[in-house]
Amino acid sequence: MHGLRIRVRGQVQGVGFRPFVWALARDLELHGDVRNDPEGVLIRVAGDRAAELAELIQSKAPPLARVDAIETSPLTGPLGAGFEIVASSGTGSQTRITPDAATCPACLSDIQDPKDRRYGYAFTNCTHCGPRYTVLTSMPYDRGHTTMAAFDMCQDCATEYADPGDRRFHAQPVACPACGPHVWIEPAAEDPIAAAADHLVQGRIIAIKGLGGFHLACDATNPMAVQTLRDRKRRPSKPFALMGTPEMIARYSPISTAEATLLEDPAAPIVLLQQAGAPLPDSVAPGQATLGWMLPYTPLHHLLMDRVKRPLVMTSGNLSGEPQVIGNDEARAKLGAFADAFVMHNRDIARRLDDSVERVTPQGPMVLRRARGRVPGTLPLPPGFEEAPQIAAYGGQMKAALCLTKNGQALLGHHLGELEDALTWDAFVQADADYAELFDHKPEIVACDLHPDFRATRHAHGKGLPVIEVQHHHAHLAACLAENLWPLSDGPVAGIILDGLGLGPDGTVWGGEVLLGDYLGYERFAWLQPAPLIGGDRAQAEPWRNALVRLDAADQSSLADHLFPDAPRDLARMAAANGINAPMSSSAGRLFDAVAACLGLVPMRQSYEGEAAIQLEVLARQAPLSEAEQAYPLARTRAGDLDVTPLIRAVTADMADGVQPMVIALRFHAALAAGFAEQARVLVDRGQAKAVALSGGCFQNALLLDLMLQALKGLPVLIHRKTPANDGGLALGQAMVAAAQMVTR
């Protein structure tokens, strides 16, 4: 008899892995046992076909499992007869925690079958679906360490839970109407689902408790209901997310095979789809060419959609700028002014998670916001980082997310938001402690942004550990390299980094750079010609300020006076001339704002970040693509600047000649693509760079990304797919820069 000790590492807890191993071992007539422990799954097995078990584990793992490594070693000592699943052992965590997963087809069938004891039950789940991270309170992943601990299983559920041949074996949130959580509605009604559906059909707004927080929902086909939600929430134009069945979605947005696959992924993200077909009210997504759709991902959602039979707005339940509400009392207090009714339940949410946002590009799926369904999934570290110590990195100020590295993996945390908000800051601090506890993480070093006033930077310096400060755009570059598993030893790339802002080591605000660099360092090769950010942070909210300085620099002051007659232009010009709260910036994001304002798109004040740039992309997509061949000039000076003045003069000349705004918008996009690609190509042609990496929030603009890739044709190009190109991926890059310094000492 051949004995083996098999260690399985990865996302292997809470996914039905032990019963999967149990069934395989019995089929192979092996004896031994399998258990969860802090490192993953441990198997002790003996029998003539023991080695075959290890091979089958890799090739036939359960749907939600992700096997990172299988390690085998000889086993000595006796094993009992048969093959058993034994209790979890140990404390702490080195394994991967499974993200929440959308309702599987088998569970959906259960809740739709009048003969099934879970018919109509809103908390139906099994080992292949249901809540995971949002109910977990500590490791290892057992029922007593989840918010289901308060619900004692009935005999029927206990029998399923204890049967390795049942798909609910050790499904920790397993429950039924006799023993599990329950749903109610306020104001009270006998049938809460029917009452909620009636409220929605009548044009009312309801708050619904989901997996990671509350949503505010209304009938997406009812213009008055959608506008009422906007008015109550004081959200004038930021697009709302939508929920619908595949058949519903197809009426309003064409769905490609790749988009259908992404919609149906267990992560159930919001997927951006082109608007086409039947129209929805303009107030659903003002000024947008896309709609953000998601499928029902909990039994409660399915039950509600079955009753309503129409698409719903499903937006985060929160006060403006605050995190999503997760508690019942909190919902009553904060959402009472928004909602006409509340769909509540008594299963606590252990941690808030927004919905993930993704899109399909010609280059494949792309994550825009990493949250529910993706977190806490991990990413492997590139070759060369095997000996990297445990590191905690704290990201930036906006789209905050933190990152932990351990055992060759990086955990990039969930989207938190803008850290200036007090409650978001509280959520950030809680997430830091939460991740550290759940992953038994003990960092030796911390990493953060250069900016001394970022709250995340101050937090890093307060940890009592050595701190490595990482320049903002170097972190963007390193994040793109890491996601693409660029080896530590492979040398520099040309990084085109386009975003809103990041403090440079020269004291100016960067945002439109070509860097030559790798994990260990960088040089700034080219950058957008700097301009003052009049009013500092106000320049991000008021596009006219950026247009004013660019027009004045191009000798187009009279046009600026004409375009922005009600703006305080004299005060702004005085501030710029005297350097009063007007730091110099090479920001690509602010250049987008400037051109958008010149074309009359959201010139005075944006109601959400990126509104003007998004509308500029929408406008540009309406022009014939052939117009991109007439890209405006953007050439590098000897000093390294990419001179913006000829570009602005070309824009204003086209405006004076009556060229269509959509054509101007496209030519501007093409100018940025051609100008930056030319500089990156120089570095590759000289042999200084081996590839080109694209990062920064501007690369969420699918048109800009497409044009840039066309301009870089023939060169190896690295882009973001699994991590956000925006500041949501910043902490990953910070961690990699810090790790590189540690492993090369």
Side-chain angles (χ1 to χ4, degrees):
M1 302 290 283
H2 303 285
L4 280 180
R5 183 181 185 273
I6 304 174
R7 157 68 62 204
V8 187
R9 303 184 189 277
Q11 185 172 294
V12 290
Q13 293 189 13
V15 295
F17 207 89
R18 288 177 298 170
F20 156 72
V21 171
W22 174 86
L24 281 180
R26 294 206 167 194
D27 287 345
L28 297 173
E29 298 181 345
L30 305 175
H31 63 273
D33 53 52
V34 57
R35 75 188 70 204
N36 285 341
D37 69 7
E39 295 184 53
V41 168
L42 178 63
I43 305 163
R44 302 188 309 156
V45 63
D48 292 336
R49 303 174 69 184
E52 191 175 342
L53 177 65
E55 297 172 4
L56 290 172
I57 286 172
Q58 183 72 60
S59 62
K60 295 187 176 183
L64 297 182
R66 299 292 182 271
V67 176
D68 293 334
I70 296 177
E71 303 160 4
T72 61
S73 58
L75 178 69
T76 58
L79 291 173
F83 193 91
E84 304 298 333
I85 297 174
V86 296
S88 302
S89 63
T91 59
S93 174
Q94 295 182 31
T95 191
R96 187 186 307 177
I97 300 170
T98 307
D100 302 88
T103 304
C104 70
C107 284
L108 182 57
S109 178
D110 290 345
I111 68 172
Q112 294 174 337
D113 182 0
K115 297 179 181 179
D116 194 282
R117 69 189 186 91
R118 291 187 173 86
Y119 175 62
Y121 185 54
F123 302 92
T124 302
N125 67 90
C126 70
T127 54
H128 304 309
C129 69
R132 298 293 196 277
Y133 191 50
T134 53
V135 297
L136 182 67
T137 56
S138 63
M139 288 292 286
Y141 178 64
D142 286 323
R143 190 180 182 94
H145 298 149
T146 73
T147 59
M148 289 296 297
F151 302 95
D152 293 330
M153 283 183 279
C154 66
Q155 186 57 52
D156 288 338
C157 286
T159 298
E160 294 171 334
Y161 183 85
D163 180 3
D166 193 287
R167 81 172 198 276
R168 292 192 168 94
F169 175 76
H170 279 228
Q172 306 307 338
V174 68
C176 74
C179 64
H182 67 276
V183 173
W184 69 90
I185 191 168
E186 301 173 5
E190 183 176 351
D191 185 338
I193 304 299
D198 185 62
H199 281 300
L200 291 166
V201 170
Q202 296 300 320
R204 302 185 187 101
I205 296 162
I206 62 172
I208 304 172
K209 189 176 185 180
L211 282 183
F214 276 79
H215 286 107
L216 290 169
C218 71
D219 178 359
T221 68
N222 184 330
M224 291 185 63
V226 178
Q227 190 57 51
T228 298
L229 177 55
R230 286 205 175 278
D231 294 342
R232 290 181 182 179
K233 205 176 178 187
R234 295 184 178 89
R235 183 172 169 173
S237 55
K238 190 174 183 180
F240 285 140
L242 299 165
M243 180 175 284
T245 65
E247 295 75 22
M248 290 177 191
I249 296 172
R251 293 181 209 150
Y252 305 96
S253 297
I255 308 173
S256 69
T257 301
E259 288 166 340
T261 299
L262 188 56
L263 281 166
E264 294 166 3
D265 188 276
I270 297 169
V271 179
L272 300 187
L273 303 174
Q274 290 297 312
Q275 295 193 48
L280 285 171
D282 291 340
S283 53
V284 168
Q288 304 290 307
T290 58
L291 297 170
W293 287 99
M294 58 182 159
L295 299 181
Y297 58 83
T298 70
L300 176 58
H301 292 144
H302 282 285
L303 294 168
L304 190 58
M305 296 299 296
D306 285 346
R307 291 290 189 112
V308 176
K309 299 187 185 304
R310 63 190 70 184
L312 299 176
V313 166
M314 196 72 70
T315 190
S316 295
N318 62 323
L319 298 175
S320 180
E322 289 189 2
Q324 193 174 16
V325 168
I326 63 172
N328 293 347
D329 289 340
E330 183 188 14
R332 294 183 187 101
K334 291 188 174 181
L335 304 182
F338 303 154
D340 299 306
F342 292 83
V343 177
M344 302 285 207
H345 61 72
N346 59 337
R347 184 179 69 198
D348 289 341
I349 298 171
R351 58 186 53 77
R352 60 173 50 86
L353 284 180
D354 286 313
D355 297 309
S356 292
V357 181
E358 306 181 14
R359 76 190 312 169
V360 174
T361 72
Q363 295 74 44
M366 176 181 289
V367 172
L368 307 181
R369 183 170 76 190
R370 182 177 165 89
R372 179 196 49 76
R374 300 299 182 195
V375 175
T378 61
L379 302 162
L381 299 186
F385 289 92
E386 292 80 6
E387 302 303 320
Q390 293 187 34
I391 296 170
Y394 292 111
Q397 185 77 355
M398 303 181 72
K399 297 181 178 63
L402 54 85
C403 182
L404 310 179
T405 64
K406 181 178 179 180
N407 294 339
Q409 298 284 320
L411 166 68
L412 179 61
H414 61 283
H415 167 86
L416 289 158
E418 166 59 64
L419 294 186
E420 278 303 309
D421 176 78
L423 291 177
T424 304
W425 173 247
D426 290 344
F428 177 89
V429 174
Q430 178 184 350
D432 185 24
D434 194 27
Y435 282 121
E437 179 182 359
L438 289 176
F439 288 87
D440 192 25
H441 192 260
K442 299 177 175 61
E444 298 178 25
I445 195 164
V446 295
C448 62
D449 195 88
L450 277 181
H451 202 301
D453 295 330
F454 281 3
R455 297 189 81 167
T457 300
R458 297 198 296 267
H459 181 73
H461 281 278
K463 300 294 286 188
L465 293 168
V467 178
I468 292 179
E469 295 183 339
V470 183
Q471 199 280 324
H472 193 92
H473 299 91
H474 186 202
H476 273 306
L477 172 63
C480 187
L481 292 177
E483 181 186 329
N484 286 275
L485 297 177
W486 187 262
L488 176 60
S489 61
D490 267 18
V493 301
I496 300 177
I497 316 297
L498 306 179
D499 70 351
L501 61 87
L503 181 65
D506 59 358
T508 67
V509 179
W510 293 9
E513 273 71 40
V514 177
L515 304 180
L516 175 63
D518 56 16
Y519 302 106
L520 286 166
Y522 67 94
E523 299 174 24
R524 194 185 188 203
F525 178 70
W527 53 92
L528 282 176
Q529 181 184 36
L533 295 175
I534 302 173
D537 288 344
R538 292 187 69 180
Q540 297 183 66
E542 300 177 13
W544 70 267
R545 295 172 180 268
N546 306 293
L548 181 76
V549 295
R550 291 298 188 184
L551 289 169
D552 284 355
D555 300 321
Q556 301 292 317
S557 298
S558 59
L559 178 60
D561 295 338
H562 172 73
L563 291 174
F564 315 116
D566 298 325
R569 302 183 309 281
D570 291 341
L571 286 174
R573 284 168 171 148
M574 186 181 303
N578 293 288
I580 300 173
N581 194 22
M584 297 301 289
S585 173
S586 61
S587 170
R590 302 294 76 78
L591 183 59
F592 267 93
D593 291 347
V595 175
C598 288
L599 296 179
L601 303 175
V602 202
M604 300 311 295
R605 186 169 187 84
Q606 303 186 77
S607 65
Y608 62 92
E609 184 195 7
E611 182 179 7
I614 290 170
Q615 292 199 19
L616 190 65
E617 179 191 0
V618 171
L619 183 64
R621 284 191 172 277
Q622 300 171 26
L625 196 55
S626 59
E627 291 292 345
E629 297 174 6
Q630 304 297 318
Y632 297 130
L634 187 64
R636 184 174 183 266
T637 68
R638 288 193 176 187
D641 287 353
L642 295 175
D643 192 357
V644 174
T645 299
L647 184 156
I648 296 296
R649 288 176 177 161
V651 168
T652 58
D654 274 358
M655 290 172 62
D657 290 342
V659 175
Q660 292 176 296
M662 65 181 180
V663 172
I664 296 172
L666 179 57
R667 290 176 178 175
F668 166 71
H669 278 77
L672 286 188
F676 278 94
E678 180 181 1
Q679 303 310 310
R681 191 176 289 276
V682 167
L683 293 172
V684 176
D685 289 346
R686 289 178 181 174
Q688 294 176 271
K690 295 182 178 180
V692 181
L694 309 180
S695 192
C698 291
F699 283 112
Q700 293 186 143
N701 180 323
L703 175 61
L704 178 65
L705 177 61
D706 289 346
L707 292 170
M708 188 72 75
L709 290 171
Q710 291 174 28
L712 293 168
K713 191 173 182 179
L715 300 181
V717 181
L718 311 176
I719 65 172
H720 289 268
R721 293 183 177 87
K722 298 179 181 179
T723 62
N726 61 36
D727 284 7
L730 204 64
L732 172 63
Q734 294 170 349
M736 299 310 299
V737 171
Q741 293 186 25
M742 297 298 289
V743 300
T744 58
R745 283 183 175 179

